[in-house]
Amino acid sequence: MTLRCTALAILLINYITAISQDANIRTFATNSVYSESVLSKPEWIDRKSCTDFQIPPSEEFFKEIELIQATVPVVFHFVGVVAEKPDIIRATNNQLTKLNQIFRKLPVYFSESAKTPTLSIRFELAKSVGADYSQGNVFSEGIIFYAGSKTWPLNHNLQNPEAGGVKPIQTPHFLNIWVSELESPSGGFAQYPGGPEETDGIVIDWDFFGSKENSASLFNDGKTLVHLVGNYFNLNEIWGTGSLCSDDGIADTPLQNAPNVECYSGRHISTCSGYSVEDISNYMDAAPDTCMKHFTPGQINRMLTTLLWPGGRNFITYMGKEQSDSVIIAQEFFKVRPNPSPGEFTLTTPPAFSRQVNLKLEILSVIGKREHQQTVTIGPSEDIRLNLSFLPEGVYNLHAQWDQGAFVEKLIILK
């Protein structure tokens, strides 16, 4: 079965290679890199299958939930990128803005009669990467530059120090993204959940990174990384993972015979069985950025299932009622350090507090179980000591709430 799937994947890879010579065409290498990787790590097939067929939570589970919030800390590794520091910072900020515009308000759909909770995924630069930067120069937290001038093949060499690459930082708690020059006009590739931690993350070509002003490229709106983040959250390519016309595992996406590489003015009919209308505006297709506009409800539910434990991407920080704008503002000012920690954390309140407030603190497990709670009275720029060393290693969510707002933060305990 494994050999058959690999052979079918090669047929599709050969097709993509044939069209990739055109500079106005963008290809993705997630499937080809995955197919190559499982030859040496066949156990990854079983882990990915378990994730693919994980049953999503029921409508009843979300009956009282209006908002599901996930916060994804990101580390960018710029390897041999020939650009000035301000250009790299600008491109990174533009790219984060694009991700947050698209992923911040995704409707979770169950049925016509059910209410629709909102999945809000927020991407931010990792606050404290806590790693050895002997290989690179840190521009700011979450942005690291490494010297070099090399074009990288479409495999894991860029993530392998023994091959001259750069190892990831604190996977799976951070999303690591490598930005460099890649062979062929490939946008890059992502690792599906369940793969090795030493290669976990996304590799993207600098030419397809960020939103670049005054660019004549068809792929200058930052949506290459949107597609690759979809892979990272366990979305397959819309044209499938094996032979042409294979299924992507999502019920509400059509069968496609191949990636679409242009915007069609009318309906584009698939040559697959059933002759369905292809979804050329889907983020998981390969058309120019101006065409890419949406995820389907089935794709959103797949991403939500992957974000919930044990889906492989445990970034959920809040599930509950809709929150006011003060939540997002507070998120920018509160500081938690160190994080990760063996169990002792310090929470510093923002100077914006003009008075003493009663702060209710709750520590929740990734499945929502309350592990600890306390209420403290605190003023501006004061520290709160949290001793959670009694809890086992893992990822927890800190909820802090007062009369005018709330704060949500992921805590990582590593012993």
Side-chain angles (χ1 to χ4, degrees), residues 358-400:
N358 291 322
L359 199 62
K360 180 182 178 182
L361 303 175
E362 289 186 320
I363 307 298
L364 306 178
S365 70
V366 291
I367 60 173
K369 178 184 177 184
R370 184 185 295 112
E371 302 287 357
H372 175 73
Q373 65 178 355
Q374 67 184 82
T375 300
V376 296
T377 301
I378 193 168
S381 300
E382 290 188 20
D383 289 344
I384 304 170
R385 309 290 181 182
L386 288 176
N387 186 353
L388 305 177
S389 54
F390 60 91
L391 293 174
E393 279 194 352
V395 179
Y396 298 87
N397 295 320
L398 165 65
H399 291 189

Side-chain angles (χ1 to χ4, degrees), residues 155-171:
N155 57 30
H156 290 301
N157 284 359
L158 182 55
Q159 302 154 301
N160 182 4
E162 294 182 1
V166 176
K167 66 181 180 181
I169 294 173
Q170 294 183 18
T171 54

Side-chain angles (χ1 to χ4, degrees), residues 39-101:
L39 294 177
S40 60
K41 298 180 183 294
E43 68 276 7
W44 189 8
I45 297 176
D46 293 334
R47 289 202 296 267
K48 186 177 187 310
S49 295
C50 289
T51 306
D52 288 348
F53 292 104
Q54 183 178 340
I55 299 174
S58 65
E59 178 183 329
E60 184 67 23
F61 179 85
F62 289 107
K63 188 174 182 180
E64 302 300 325
I65 293 176
E66 298 173 349
L67 175 67
I68 307 110
Q69 191 174 65
T71 302
V72 182
V74 185
V75 179
F76 291 98
H77 306 272
F78 291 92
V79 184
V81 172
V82 182
E84 298 296 326
K85 174 180 174 180
D87 293 333
I88 292 178
I89 298 293
R90 188 181 304 111
T92 303
N93 290 335
N94 289 344
Q95 185 65 81
L96 285 172
T97 297
K98 179 60 63 175
L99 290 175
N100 286 322
Q101 286 175 347

